[in-house]
Each structure stands twice: as structure tokens, then as C-alpha cells.
């Protein structure tokens, strides 16, 4: 699956399968349990070598039913298994109740309050308390057990979560009530859910894998994980010339503030823009000229100077913001967005966003469909204060407001593509299309937490826009390539290393 589903979307897929006769609820539950067992033995192969002890914690819904299947399968494998239930067994849903009865033929069901919660209590803990359907904070014995478990790294290292760590909102990755199970392995069914990749999801899930349970089809309007870009446009044709691949203009700040823009410009050139020019004020002209070779330079003193440079119709993409300065941003952004009559793509980052924090509607009124905004959380909060406030509020119920919800709302308001930077980067277009690039699990890139990395990303987007990418496609491709460049370099990364890692990344893609 190449979708990230909400709980409602997953329920709809399951319901459609059941109503069509493709599978019964009992069959799906059996497949889910087997998927968990297979994933556990693949993740911890040493557990298959001898009799082990598992503690299985079952909740009051169908997630608990999955847990009863897991317990039975491990008992059949020869393990010692203890099962504990949160809730009244008489109130379990029909399929879960049937699997509870099957387990009772093999062993007792204890009360959750009596379940062990220390690392030495079992070789494996199975969290089947609450899955994707959790809509409220944990309470009672469930809250007590999860709070203790989450605080013990040794216990967490032995925990597998069924579908979703209990306490985690499956649509947002936020901890309902501020607490959730901490797992070493999480087994999702059919597809990953948004909560596996957003917010606290990767930290709580440990490693997330998908087990197929025989379902087909996706969900209309679902967000998609960003995939590796193809080489059809990243490569260069043999008969092309520099202007075939576009001319990007990156605006710098005053003397002593040009480094961020130079990083962005270098990235735009490395990603394949045919020409990249730095637009500098007179005070910074000598500073910049001493430090560039392949990059070009043009004097852009103020609004009039930018308007003059933009009379060249071959300039088809602009990047404003990195190190630009607030006053210069307020002066230049309106001209860049007007474009002197020529259709140009524009990336606005950093100061080009913060300069309008007192009048965001003025900025929104100038934006057009060819723009991409690339805020980090602070800049997002300054432009979209009400949306950011909702996102920052405690998650007291589910589905909780998510980063995806926030960016979709921001893109609709701005009328252009918005990319909210972070380990869980979210990209959305005004029409609701959305994608998530999570630098997590096997694509974790902690080295990107370094000054200037965001400036490089802005430049990469500008370079791809210059090459003819549509704004959404440019943002997605740049997000993937940005992380891949960081992973290719690894430890010790600084922002200057990112553009220089791009050629190897492109070669690895076969471009």
C-alpha cells in the first residue's frame, strides 16, 4: 500500500470486505493475529529457538480479539502464555468474544490490574489493549499499566504493539492524555496509519511493519508517503542546454547575511537547474563574489532592482527568505510574487514568511498557485496562529487534530503548496492533496538537525521548480532527496555537505 490511512478509512476498507463476502470479521482477526506472530519471530528470531513466556494484554474491543488470537498461536507454538483483559469479557464484540472463548479452552484470563509490567516478567509483552479506534485518554487499570510500561525502557524493548501502541491516536500520532505504550515493534494491518509516522508515532512504535490480511483497495483522499522520485525529469537529455533546465534567482540579505542564500543557491544548482543567480544588494556584492564560482551574481538593491532583473523572462523560479532580513523581505516579496508579468514559481522561506507575521492576510493575497511555502514550526505559527494553536492544544480525544490537518488547512488558506518542515514533514496543496515524508524508522536522518539544512531544502525546491516540476511534485521530490542526501553523508553532517551529496544520490537513483 502507498497510502497512510486514518482509522475511519481503515474501518471502511474492512467493512467493504466483510459486506462483499471477501472475508469475515473472524477471518480478518485470525489473519491479523498470525501477522503479529510472524512479525515478532522475524524481528526477534532468537525467540523461536526455545520455549518462551508471553504476557498478552487484551482490551475491550476487536484489538483485544487480535490479542486472544496471538495468545492462542503462541501457546500452540509451545510458549507459556498469560492473558489479561481490561474490561468485561461479556461485553466484548462478537468476534473478539469468540476468540476469548477459544483461548479460555487453553488458559485463564486475568484482570489487567494483576498483569506483570516489569522487564523480567516475560520474554515478550503483547499490547492489544487499544488499536486504531481509541478516541479518549486511557484510564483506570489501562492507564496504570501503560504509565508504568512506558517509563521502563527494558520493558519497552520487549513489547510488540498490535496495530497501534495503546494511548496513541492513530490519525495524528499524538498521545491522548499525554501517555502511550512504548513499543519496540508495532504491527499494522493492510497499511500504515497516519499515527505511525506523525508526531510521537515513530518514537512510540519503535519499528513499524505492515502485515497483509487479505484486504484490497485504498481510500479516496488518503495521504500518501513520499516515495523516491523518478529520473524522467531529474536526468538531463543529451541535446539540452542550460536554459532547458531553467534559471533560478535566489535573493540574499545584506553583507554578513549571505550564507543561507548561498546554501540555497548551491542546492538549486546541484539539483539540476541550468543557471542559478544570486541577487545581492550592493553592500554584499563583494562578499558574495569572493565565494562563488558556478553561481552567477546580479545586483538587486531593492524593489526596483528586482523588477529590473525580472524583466528577463528566462528567470522562471525564485527563492526568497534564507538570510534575507525582514525589511528586505517586505520590500522584495511583493515584486517577486507579481513577477513583472511573467509566470514564475516562487519559494518563500524563513524571513520571507516571518516578515508578514503581523499581516499574514496581506501575504496570502499576493500568493498564487506557483508558490511553495516552507515554514518550520515557529514560522508556521507566526503565519497561521489559529491553526498552530489548535495543533498545540492538548490531545484530549481522538481523532486528534494532526500536523496533516494543520497543513491542509494552511494550504487551503494560502492558496498554494505548504511544506511544514520537521522529522515528519507534511506537504499539502490547496485542493487537499497531501503527502507525508517521515524521516523515521529506516529513513531516520537525525543529522539534519543542523543550521542551514532548511535553507538547502528551499534551494532544492527552487531548483526543481526551475526545471519544470509542478509545486507539489517539487516539494515532495526535494523532501525525499534532502533526507537521502543526509543519510548518504551520515554523522558529522553540516549544511554545506548536503548539496555536495546530491550527485551521488542522483547516481544511485540511476539518473
Amino acid at each position: 500500500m502507498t497510502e497512510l490511512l486514518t482509522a475511519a478509512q481503515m474501518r471502511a476498507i474492512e467493512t467493504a470486505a466483510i459486506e462483499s463476502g471477501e472475508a469475515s470479521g473472524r477471518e480478518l482477526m485470525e489473519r491479523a493475529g498470525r501477522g503479529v506472530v510472524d512479525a515478532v519471530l522475524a524481528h526477534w528470531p532468537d525467540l523461536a529457538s526455545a520455549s518462551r513466556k508471553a504476557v498478552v494484554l487484551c482490551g475491550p474491543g476487536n484489538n483485544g480479539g487480535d490479542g486472544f488470537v496471538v495468545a492462542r498461536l503462541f501457546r500452540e507454538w509451545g510458549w507459556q502464555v498469560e492473558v489479561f483483559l481490561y474490561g468485561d469479557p461479556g461485553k466484548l464484540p462478537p468476534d473478539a468474544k469468540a476468540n476469548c472463548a477459544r483461548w479460555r479452552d487453553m488458559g485463564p484470563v486475568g484482570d489487567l490490574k494483576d498483569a506483570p509490567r516489569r522487564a523480567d516478567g516475560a520474554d515478550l509483552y503483547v499490547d492489544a489493549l487499544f488499536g486504531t479506534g481509541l478516541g479518549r485518554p486511557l484510564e483506570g487499570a489501562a492507564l496504570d499499566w501503560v504509565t508504568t510500561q512506558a517509563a521502563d525502557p527494558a520493558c519497552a524493548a520487549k513489547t510488540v504493539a498490535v496495530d497501534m501502541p495503546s494511548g496513541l491516536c492513530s490519525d495524528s500520532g499524538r498521545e491522548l492524555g499525554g501517555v502511550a505504550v512504548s513499543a519496540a515493534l508495532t504491527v499494522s494491518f493492510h497499511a500504515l496509519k497516519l499515527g505511525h509516522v506523525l508526531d510521537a508515532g515513530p518514537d512510540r512504535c519503535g519499528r513499524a511493519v505492515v502485515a497483509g490480511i487479505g484486504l484490497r483497495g485504498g481510500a479516496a483522499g488518503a495521504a500518501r508517503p513520499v516515495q523516491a522520485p523518478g529520473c524522467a525529469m531529474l536526468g538531463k537529455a543529451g541535446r539540452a542546454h542550460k536554459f532547458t533546465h531553467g534559471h533560478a534567482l535566489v535573493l540574499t540579505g545584506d553583507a554578513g547575511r549571505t550564507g543561507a542564500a548561498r546554501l540555497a543557491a548551491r542546492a538549486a544548482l546541484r539539483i539540476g537547474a541550468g543557471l542559478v543567480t544570486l541577487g545581492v544588494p550592493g553592500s554584499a556584492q563583494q562578499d558574495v563574489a569572493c565565494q562563488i564560482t558556478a553561481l552567477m551574481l546580479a545586483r538587486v538593491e531593492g524593489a526596483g532592482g528586482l523588477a529590473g532583473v525580472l524583466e528577463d523572462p528566462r528567470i522562471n523560479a525564485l527563492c526568497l527568505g534564507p538570510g534575507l532580513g525582514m525589511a528586505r523581505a517586505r520590500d522584495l516579496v511583493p515584486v517577486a510574487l507579481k513577477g513583472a508579468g511573467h509566470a514564475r514559481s516562487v519559494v518563500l522561506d524563513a524571513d520571507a514568511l516571518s516578515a508578514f507575521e503581523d499581516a499574514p492576510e496581506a501575504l496570502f493575497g499576493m500568493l498564487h498557485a506557483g508558490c511553495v511555502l516552507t515554514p518550520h514550526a515557529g514560522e508556521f505559527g507566526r503565519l497561521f496562529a489559529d491553526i498552530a494553536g489548535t495543533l498545540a492544544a492538548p490531545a484530549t480525544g481522538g481523532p486528534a487534530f494532526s500536523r496533516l490537518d494543520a497543513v491542509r488547512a494552511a494550504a487551503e488558506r494560502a492558496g498554494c503548496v505548504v511544506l511544514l518542515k520537521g522529522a515528519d514533514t507534511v506537504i499539502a496543496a490547496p485542493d487537499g492533496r497531501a503527502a507525508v515524508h517521515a524521516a523515521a524508522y529506516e529513513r531516520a536522518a537525525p543529522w539534519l538537525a543542523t543550521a542551514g539544512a532548511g535553507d538547502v531544502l528551499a534551494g532544492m525546491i527552487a531548483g526543481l521548480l526551475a526545471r519544470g516540476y509542478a509545486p507539489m511534485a517539487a516539494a515532495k521530490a526535494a523532501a525525499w532527496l534532502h533526507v537521502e542526501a543526509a543519510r548518504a553523508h551520515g554523522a558529522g553532517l553540516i549544511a554545506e555537505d548536503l548539496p555536495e551529496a546530491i550527485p551521488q544520490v542522483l547516481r544511485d537513483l540511476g539518473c
Side-chain angles (χ1 to χ4, degrees), residues 356-410:
F356 293 90
E357 63 179 306
D358 294 331
E361 294 301 329
L363 175 63
F364 301 153
M366 294 184 283
L367 296 171
H368 55 76
C371 296
V372 179
L373 311 186
T374 59
H376 57 51
E379 293 155 355
F380 186 90
R382 288 189 277 276
L383 275 187
F384 305 99
D386 57 332
I387 299 173
T390 302
L391 185 61
T396 57
F401 193 73
S402 70
R403 280 171 63 90
L404 178 66
D405 297 325
V407 179
R408 274 180 164 152

Side-chain angles (χ1 to χ4, degrees), residues 45 78 134 153 167 239 382 412 448 497 504:
L134 183 66
R239 292 183 177 272
R382 288 189 277 276
E412 182 179 14
L448 280 173
D497 298 322
Q504 184 59 54

